[in-house]
Amino acid sequence: MNRFIVRLVMQSHLSNGRSISNGHVCSSAIVGRSLELSGQHNVVTLVRFEWRRMMSSTPASVENASSGREEKMKNSVTEETKGKDSSALSYWGISRPKITRADGTDWPWNCFMPWETYSAELSIDLKKRHVPKNFVDKFAFRTVKLLRLPTDIFFQRRYGSRAMMLETVAAVPGMVGGMLLHLKSLRKFQQSGGWIKALLEEAENERMHLMTMVELVKPKWYERLLVLTVQGVFFNAFFVLYVLSPKLAHRIVGYLEEEAIHSYTEYLKDIESGAIENVAAPAIAIDYWRLPKDARLKEVITVIRADEAHHRDVNHFASDIHFAGKELKDAPAPLDYH
């Protein structure tokens, strides 16, 4: 009985196979033979194999042609994108549009955009000081004076290296304060009064000071190691301080900025006296502060000093808000106030 069923199925299968292709005839014959030898159990297997063959009824020639077309399309896309900037390509199709300067030349920086540049406001009062009035102010003032001692001993009058170290520290408070205010805003579902953006702007501005100074100084290996150490200690210490007392943290930053103004003023004196060569301004500084193309180091230090004066005002202002018993969100932040 089993042999009779197998014979019928084989005949039907072979007749269908001839109308399709010789390859299918051979495969059908092989299946039928194996079933004739193995008996009833494999009848079910025959049905499964036959079903699979019928489900994949596309001729091999068609499948190969389709595969060939896909490969051809892939190669054409590769040829089309060949020679393009690989950084502009993305799996998600997100790419940076072409950006140019006002004169039509390509914008070379990816760390800041043309609309983030500005002309420094140089009329700010550089001699303004915050007089310590209470215990917190005096503690902040003396802490900053104490922190300055090792810097004076290590760098002495190497103001380029001193400025580089100063900026690696100065760029930390804005980021820490902005981050903590951001988290507070998320926890309490409240606005920040613009202070998150103001503090992050400060951190970004200080970072650009550092990028400029690195172009001028070319720090040595031991100076880089010192930066790693100082940043690791200062970030964690300032983080804890800001959590415990934001008003003290901002007051310390205000006094740090006052010291920065003093250091850059001494830097300018050495440039004017000829002790430090008044070299050409780095290209990154010319684009960031919209300086003249022939700007020199003196102009760069002048605009950086003005920035530090603005940061001094912002942080003393933030501390005064806390001393008044209010939160930063209660007073509008001085946005775009470098």
Side-chain angles (χ1 to χ4, degrees):
M1 182 66 180
N2 290 340
R3 291 183 180 181
F4 177 74
I5 294 174
V6 170
R7 190 175 296 110
L8 290 175
V9 173
M10 286 177 61
Q11 290 176 355
S12 174
H13 193 58
L14 286 171
S15 62
N16 290 335
R18 291 191 188 94
S19 63
I20 301 175
S21 67
N22 293 332
H24 284 94
V25 172
C26 293
S27 64
S28 300
I30 293 171
V31 173
R33 185 180 178 184
S34 65
L35 290 173
E36 186 176 359
L37 294 174
S38 57
Q40 183 177 3
H41 174 71
N42 283 329
V43 173
V44 179
T45 307
L46 170 66
V47 175
R48 183 170 66 251
F49 284 174
E50 178 68 13
W51 177 79
R52 288 182 178 178
R53 189 191 69 80
M54 292 178 67
M55 288 297 291
S56 180
S57 59
T58 304
S61 59
V62 177
E63 292 180 354
N64 292 337
S66 177
S67 177
R69 284 196 300 270
E70 291 177 0
E71 186 68 23
K72 187 176 181 180
M73 290 177 62
K74 182 178 179 181
N75 291 338
S76 64
V77 171
T78 303
E79 290 296 327
E80 183 180 351
T81 57
K82 190 176 180 180
K84 291 184 179 180
D85 184 5
S86 59
S87 64
L89 302 178
S90 169
Y91 178 83
W92 298 104
I94 300 172
S95 61
R96 170 183 167 181
K98 186 176 181 180
I99 301 173
T100 58
R101 294 191 180 97
D103 58 5
T105 57
D106 290 339
W107 184 256
W109 314 106
N110 60 8
C111 53
F112 65 99
M113 296 293 104
W115 50 86
E116 295 169 344
T117 65
Y118 68 100
S119 299
E121 199 274 290
L122 303 179
S123 63
I124 190 169
D125 185 3
L126 299 173
K127 297 181 180 180
K128 192 188 322 183
R129 296 287 185 273
H130 182 276
V131 179
K133 300 176 182 178
N134 48 48
F135 173 77
V136 173
D137 287 354
K138 293 177 182 178
F139 179 83
F141 181 79
R142 291 172 183 173
T143 298
V144 171
K145 290 294 185 183
L146 183 64
L147 292 175
R148 181 174 175 171
L149 288 178
T151 305
D152 290 340
I153 295 172
F154 186 82
F155 292 108
Q156 297 182 1
R157 296 194 70 82
R158 292 187 295 124
Y159 286 109
S161 298
R162 177 198 289 263
M164 180 201 66
M165 177 60 65
L166 176 68
E167 299 303 345
T168 61
V169 172
V172 170
M175 181 59 65
V176 172
M179 176 185 67
L180 290 175
L181 287 179
H182 174 75
L183 295 176
K184 182 178 180 181
S185 177
L186 297 180
R187 289 194 311 271
K188 295 190 173 183
F189 314 111
Q190 65 184 19
Q191 299 293 335
S192 69
W195 279 95
I196 295 174
K197 189 174 187 298
L199 293 178
L200 293 181
E201 277 184 355
E202 176 186 317
E204 174 65 7
N205 182 246
E206 297 284 12
R207 188 184 68 84
M208 292 305 300
H209 293 177
L210 176 63
M211 295 297 102
T212 301
M213 298 311 302
V214 167
E215 291 292 322
L216 294 167
V217 176
K218 306 296 183 185
K220 301 177 178 59
W221 68 269
Y222 58 85
E223 291 174 332
R224 292 177 179 271
L225 182 61
L226 183 61
V227 166
L228 290 174
T229 304
V230 171
Q231 187 183 87
V233 173
F234 184 75
F235 177 89
N236 290 283
F238 191 82
F239 179 90
V240 173
L241 176 62
Y242 202 97
V243 171
L244 297 176
S245 178
K247 63 182 176 183
L248 175 59
H250 282 293
R251 189 68 80 200
I252 286 178
V253 176
Y255 285 130
L256 282 173
E257 300 296 355
E258 290 183 11
E259 294 299 324
I261 295 169
H262 174 76
S263 295
Y264 282 118
T265 299
E266 294 298 313
Y267 198 170
L268 283 171
K269 288 180 180 179
D270 279 2
I271 293 173
E272 291 170 352
S273 66
I276 296 177
E277 183 182 359
N278 190 22
V279 298
I284 192 171
I286 291 174
D287 280 334
Y288 183 69
W289 282 284
R290 302 176 190 169
L291 298 174
K293 298 299 181 183
D294 59 348
R296 312 296 291 184
L297 176 61
K298 180 179 178 180
E299 284 80 13
V300 175
I301 301 304
T302 300
V303 294
I304 291 178
R305 183 178 63 172
D307 287 347
E308 305 294 5
H310 287 85
H311 299 326
R312 170 203 65 194
D313 294 349
V314 170
N315 281 276
H316 281 315
F317 173 47
S319 185
D320 289 342
I321 293 172
H322 284 291
F323 270 106
K326 301 179 180 179
E327 295 186 27
L328 292 183
K329 67 181 181 65
D330 299 327
L335 294 174
D336 300 317
Y337 186 72
H338 294 278

